[in-house]
Amino acid sequence: MNNFIFENATKVYFGEGCVNEYLACLLKQYGDTVLLAYGGGSIKRNGIYDEVTAILEKAGKKIVEFSGIMANPTYAKVQEGAQLAKENHVDIILAIGGGSVMDCCKAVSLASRYEGDIWNDFWMHPGVINFKPLPLGVIVTVAGTGSECNGGAVITNEEKKIKTGRDYPQCNPQFALMDPTYTYSVPVKQMISGGFDILSHIMETYFSGPNENNVSDDIMEALMKSVIFNLRAAIKNPQDYTARSNLMWASTMAENRIIKMGKKCDFECHNIEHQLGAYTDCNHGCGLAVLHPIYYRHIYKAGLSKFVKFAGNVWGIATEGKSAEEIALAGINALANFIKEIGLPTTLRELGITDKNLLKEIADSCGISAGSYKTMTHEEILMILNECFE
Ligand code: NZQ
Ligand code: ZN
């Protein structure tokens, strides 16, 4: 294993009824003004908004609303939230939603306590945070990003056409309330996309050094099998509490830093997907689904033993009479078949990207991961995008 330091400052309250049971008590230690942040309105339709505002009102809190946080949150939206927080002397941000709302709010928590240009000082050039961001608590409504238990905030700068994020431990939420029943109302397409995002976070970590036996890879094999099993179960019955709770916790486990310990981590597919998102505003999990099998066919020879393990231990591919390459490719094919089976897009065209001319600019703008089994060039990323197109 590589050396590591581990810390996770977020306290998690998990299970049906947790918001009712703990929210008021959790907010007691903060001042009276709460920035209530949410997305495009799903929480108004499924009743979560009414439930939370009733708790806040009963606790005597002053609510400042910050609504309309879009999927793939923009830097302009972060600035809007920071302005609101400053003007209203907000004491804590309460983010209700998925990765987009949580990420936007982490960025707001930084921006509202920082006088400089946070885009330049923290997103473009990782800076040292030597101040306390505004406290943030989150109520998770969709499983996918795992943003509730890390300090990562993925933000799109529309002007510069860059979507990127960094994990600052100081930006970990103070608390995360996770009620799996809150995810029942997530549209099936979004549930599947979030499920694939979980799988992708695990694969992007698993397919990287070290290759020798290590506990992180063992945990990841169990997590991948769990995500595949529970995603199938949740598709069959979206109100399956067991499946929803397993997906919700797997999502946290994939991104709370535990599985990354001792690992190099790749995340090249995320680098590419983020730039696809910056140019086309595509859905994150769907973009990842298109990219993964093709990217893996480009890199598997450089990480052959891990791809062989993946095929056998995750997909149960029989190995007898097959060469290592055949086994590895069978594992990648099993992943591609799963993507088709659950109804995710398999081409950029299906994702809604129809202008092939964009691909070179997108490829050239992608970050290059140092943790990949095979270090990409911008030319190879363009090849991958072209293969993804049809
Ligand atoms: O906006 P509303 O109306 O709330 O609807 C949302 C949105 O349309 C809907 N939704 C969420 N909970 C729901 C619900 N609809 C009905 N019932 C509910 N209970 O779902 C849609 C998608 O929400 P969003 O937050 O955008 O999805 P997700 O959680 O997948 O977040 C995606 C963002 O997170 C970033 C992605 O790049 C993308 O910007 N990521 C953040 C990471 C992190 N911080 O660690 C890591 C990831 O790799 C990822 O990059
Ligand atoms: Zn992701």
Side-chain angles (χ1 to χ4, degrees), residues 144-145 154 196-198 200-201 204 255 267 270 273-274 284-285 288:
T145 64
V154 179
F196 192 80
D197 192 23
I198 306 171
S200 162
H201 295 152
E204 296 251 49
E255 276 300 319
F267 282 83
H270 268 70
E273 194 290 326
H274 284 164
H284 179 60
L288 291 169

Side-chain angles (χ1 to χ4, degrees), residues 180-181 183-185 191 233-244:
T181 66
T183 66
Y184 286 169
S185 57
M191 176 190 82
I235 291 168
K236 220 179 245 173
N237 175 14
Q239 310 256 319
D240 179 339
Y241 184 79
T242 304
R244 290 294 198 160

Side-chain angles (χ1 to χ4, degrees), residues 8-60:
N8 196 305
T10 302
K11 189 157 180 177
V12 174
Y13 298 79
F14 187 98
E16 186 167 8
C18 64
V19 171
N20 239 329
E21 196 168 347
Y22 300 112
L23 179 61
C25 178
L26 284 169
L27 290 174
K28 262 191 193 148
Q29 62 176 298
Y30 303 99
D32 281 343
T33 309
V34 177
L35 187 74
L36 185 69
Y38 54 97
S42 69
I43 65 163
K44 290 203 167 162
R45 292 187 292 277
N46 58 23
I48 298 173
Y49 176 88
D50 288 342
E51 187 180 347
V52 172
T53 50
I55 293 169
L56 296 181
E57 279 159 14
K58 195 169 166 206

Side-chain angles (χ1 to χ4, degrees), residues 4 43 69 221 295 318 333 345:
F4 63 81
I43 65 163
I69 298 171
E221 287 174 3
Y295 174 68
N333 288 342

Side-chain angles (χ1 to χ4, degrees), residues 257-274:
R257 308 189 187 104
I258 285 180
I259 61 170
K260 296 179 203 271
M261 294 305 111
K263 295 287 301 180
K264 271 189 162 177
C265 298
D266 180 346
F267 282 83
E268 186 60 57
C269 267
H270 268 70
N271 284 346
I272 303 172
E273 194 290 326
H274 284 164

